[in-house]
């Protein structure tokens, strides 16, 4: 059993993927080929925004957004404490100060109440300018934008949506990557929509920001490639990756989002009534289920449980074992954090199970049975 079965996906979509790659090779335009422009157009239409700017990876996408806004030294950028390192790394990379904020215990996403408390505390201290918030759609679930957006407007803070894990999710009729002033995603292979290497994209309705993003992504170019009007970076989605994404896109939209939600329902049914918390999907929300993550009781020896499941051929992962505020890279006063007790508990209790559109009902049944069996035994309890 694979944690995320990319091989099964390739076999299902092989004809289109192979043709797309072959077309790029025959055309010989490996950088900025026509497939890149076609992908940007289709992604913008799917998300429902005016502009899509592709780039080298999801981390660059976040950094480029901050660069377009001119975020830098003296600015505070609020980041969930429970997330992947890149969400805070990019803040430090542009010279700003990450301020780590606790998350909701059931959705894993940024807690709006804690966000406003953090903004007010930063303003009272007076040393930093609250400039932006990175809102992560963790594990596929969109964040609570109805509560977060008014806070951003109240304090004039820009909203950067990190949809790296959430692409394909939605709230009502609005899709992930349409909620931010600028939104970003990642096409890392294991993401809901993944390529065969690194890749990312940035979404916005603002014409000026889109123009800046395209400039920053290609060495700060002006009217042409060798007219460099600002310091940028080299971050372009290569044409082969665009071809792979185009070959996957229709199936992703028409089949795979429904498929992962069916897998989640199987998990919900087979794991219900047990001694752990299942993922909560609020009414009106659709998750793209980058991960299916449960919360174990605090007396469970998670490492022991993982080893027992591994011995039965069932892979699991821990996203994430360490809060952002405890990362060594943010030591020595380079970040700010407040009470993040929910994150600290989650880091010791979360466990992600095999997930994806090609997981079968039989796979889920096997995972559930082995999980039940292990947790009934005392060997994995502290």
């Amino acid at each position: 059993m694979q944690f995320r079965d990319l091989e099964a996906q390739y076999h299902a979509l092989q004809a289109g993927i192979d043709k797309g790659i072959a077309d790029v090779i025959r055309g010989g335009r490996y950088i900025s080929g026509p497939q890149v422009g076609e992908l940007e157009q289709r992604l913008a239409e799917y998300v429902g925004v005016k502009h899509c700017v592709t780039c080298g990876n999801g981390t660059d996408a976040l950094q480029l957004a901050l660069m377009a806004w001119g975020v830098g030294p003296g600015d505070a950028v609020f980041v969930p404490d429970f997330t992947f390192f890149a969400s805070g790394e990019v803040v430090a990379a542009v010279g700003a100060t990450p301020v780590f904020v606790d998350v909701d215990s059931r959705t894993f996403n940024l807690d709006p109440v804690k966000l406003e408390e953090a903004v007010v505390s930063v303003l009272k201290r007076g040393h930093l300018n609250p400039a932006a918030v990175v809102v992560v759609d963790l594990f596929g679930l969109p964040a609570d934008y109805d509560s977060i957006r008014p806070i951003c407007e109240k304090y004039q803070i820009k909203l950067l949506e990190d949809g790296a894990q959430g692409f394909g999710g939605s709230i009502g009729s609005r899709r992930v990557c349409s909620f931010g002033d600028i939104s970003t995603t990642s096409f890392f292979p294991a993401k809901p929509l993944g390529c065969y290497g690194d890749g990312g994209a940035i979404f916005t309705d603002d014409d000026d920001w889109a123009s800046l993003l395209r400039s920053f992504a290609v060495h700060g170019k002006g009217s042409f490639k060798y007219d460099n009007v600002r310091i940028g970076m080299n971050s372009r989605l290569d044409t082969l990756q665009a071809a792979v994404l185009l070959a996957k896109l229709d199936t992703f939209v028409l089949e795979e989002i429904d498929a992962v939600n069916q897998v989640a329902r199987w998990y919900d049914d087979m794991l219900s009534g047990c001694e752990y918390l299942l993922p909560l999907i609020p009414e009106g929300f659709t998750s793209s289920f980058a991960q299916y993550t449960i919360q174990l009781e605090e007396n469970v020896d998670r490492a022991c449980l993982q080893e027992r499941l591994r011995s039965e051929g069932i892979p699991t992962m821990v996203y994430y074992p360490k809060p952002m505020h405890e990362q060594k890279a943010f030591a020595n006063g380079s970040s700010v954090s407040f009470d993040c007790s929910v994150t600290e508990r989650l880091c010791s209790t979360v466990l992600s199970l095999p997930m994806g559109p090609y997981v079968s009902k039989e796979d889920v049944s096997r995972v559930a049975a082995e999980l039940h069996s292990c947790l009934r035994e005392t060997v994995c309890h502290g």
Side-chain angles (χ1 to χ4, degrees), residues 104-109 139 141 263-282 287 289 291-297 345-346 349-353 355 364 367-368 371-372 375:
D104 182 272
S105 63
R106 293 305 313 280
T107 66
F108 308 111
N109 282 330
F139 302 152
L141 179 67
V263 174
R265 287 191 292 271
W266 289 332
Y267 270 126
D268 289 348
D269 291 343
M270 295 182 195
L271 297 177
S272 63
C274 297
E275 60 272 33
Y276 32 76
L277 289 174
L278 305 182
L280 173 68
I281 308 301
S287 176
F289 279 104
Q291 314 294 343
Y292 186 92
T293 301
I294 63 173
Q295 297 181 50
L296 303 169
E297 291 186 330
R345 179 177 57 77
L346 291 174
T349 59
V350 292
L351 185 68
S352 296
L353 307 178
M355 188 50 167
V364 174
V367 172
L371 189 58
H372 291 326
L375 289 176

Side-chain angles (χ1 to χ4, degrees), residues 51-367:
H51 300 283
C52 170
V53 180
T54 54
C55 60
N57 54 70
T59 304
D60 283 358
L62 291 168
Q63 184 169 336
L64 285 162
L66 296 176
M67 291 168 68
W69 286 337
V71 174
D75 289 330
V77 178
F78 301 87
V79 180
D81 198 41
F82 188 64
T83 187
F84 181 58
F85 184 70
S87 303
E89 178 184 28
V90 296
V91 176
V94 298
T97 300
V99 179
F100 297 119
V101 180
D102 213 355
V103 298
D104 182 272
S105 63
R106 293 305 313 280
T107 66
F108 308 111
N109 282 330
L110 188 68
D111 184 328
V113 173
K114 295 293 183 65
L115 171 62
E116 184 161 21
E117 290 175 356
V119 173
V120 170
S121 295
V122 168
L123 285 169
K124 285 182 178 178
R125 292 184 182 189
H127 301 302
L128 296 169
N129 168 53
V133 55
V134 178
V135 183
V136 182
D137 303 316
L138 202 69
F139 302 152
L141 179 67
D144 183 3
Y145 291 101
D146 282 347
S147 299
I148 293 171
R149 169 61 72 179
I151 296 170
C152 293
E153 293 173 351
K154 179 178 179 179
Y155 297 100
Q156 297 182 320
I157 298 171
K158 291 185 173 63
L159 198 167
L160 175 53
E161 179 187 7
D162 181 351
Q165 297 181 23
F167 197 75
S170 59
I171 304 175
S173 61
R174 289 190 64 179
R175 293 193 169 105
V176 161
C177 288
S178 72
F179 297 106
D181 297 314
I182 294 179
S183 303
T184 68
T185 196
S186 166
F187 301 125
F188 183 80
K191 292 296 192 288
L193 178 62
C195 58
Y196 286 166
D198 268 323
I202 315 163
F203 300 86
T204 185
D205 283 320
D206 190 284
D207 296 344
D208 292 335
W209 291 344
S211 178
L212 274 174
L213 289 165
R214 291 195 182 279
S215 171
F216 277 123
V218 188
H219 303 287
K221 73 180 182 70
S223 59
F224 63 100
K225 181 178 179 180
Y226 301 109
D227 173 35
N228 306 100
V229 298
R230 56 183 58 88
I231 301 298
M233 64 170 70
N234 178 25
S235 186
R236 297 169 293 188
L237 182 72
D238 72 66
T239 312
L240 283 169
Q241 302 304 339
V244 170
L245 291 165
L246 284 168
K248 289 186 174 188
L249 186 55
D250 284 341
T251 301
F252 172 76
V253 172
L254 299 175
E255 300 177 19
E256 291 186 350
I257 297 299
D258 288 341
V260 292
N261 277 273
Q262 178 60 72
V263 174
R265 287 191 292 271
W266 289 332
Y267 270 126
D268 289 348
D269 291 343
M270 295 182 195
L271 297 177
S272 63
C274 297
E275 60 272 33
Y276 32 76
L277 289 174
L278 305 182
L280 173 68
I281 308 301
E283 185 176 355
F285 285 61
T286 299
S287 176
S288 58
F289 279 104
Q291 314 294 343
Y292 186 92
T293 301
I294 63 173
Q295 297 181 50
L296 303 169
E297 291 186 330
E298 293 187 49
N299 67 339
V300 173
D301 185 334
R302 184 173 60 191
C304 173
L305 176 60
Q306 286 188 277
E307 182 55 39
R308 293 290 300 276
L309 292 170
R310 188 182 300 113
S311 70
E312 298 298 328
I314 297 172
T316 59
M317 296 292 290
V318 174
Y319 303 110
Y320 297 92
K322 183 184 288 191
M324 293 282 276
H325 75 267
E326 292 183 4
Q327 296 288 353
K328 185 177 180 180
F330 295 124
N332 303 319
S334 62
S335 68
V336 175
S337 64
F338 299 95
D339 174 32
C340 291
S341 54
V342 171
T343 292
E344 290 167 1
R345 179 177 57 77
L346 291 174
C347 286
S348 65
T349 59
V350 292
L351 185 68
S352 296
L353 307 178
M355 188 50 167
Y358 300 91
V359 172
S360 68
K361 190 173 185 178
E362 291 72 23
D363 291 332
V364 174
S365 179
R366 182 180 161 208
V367 172

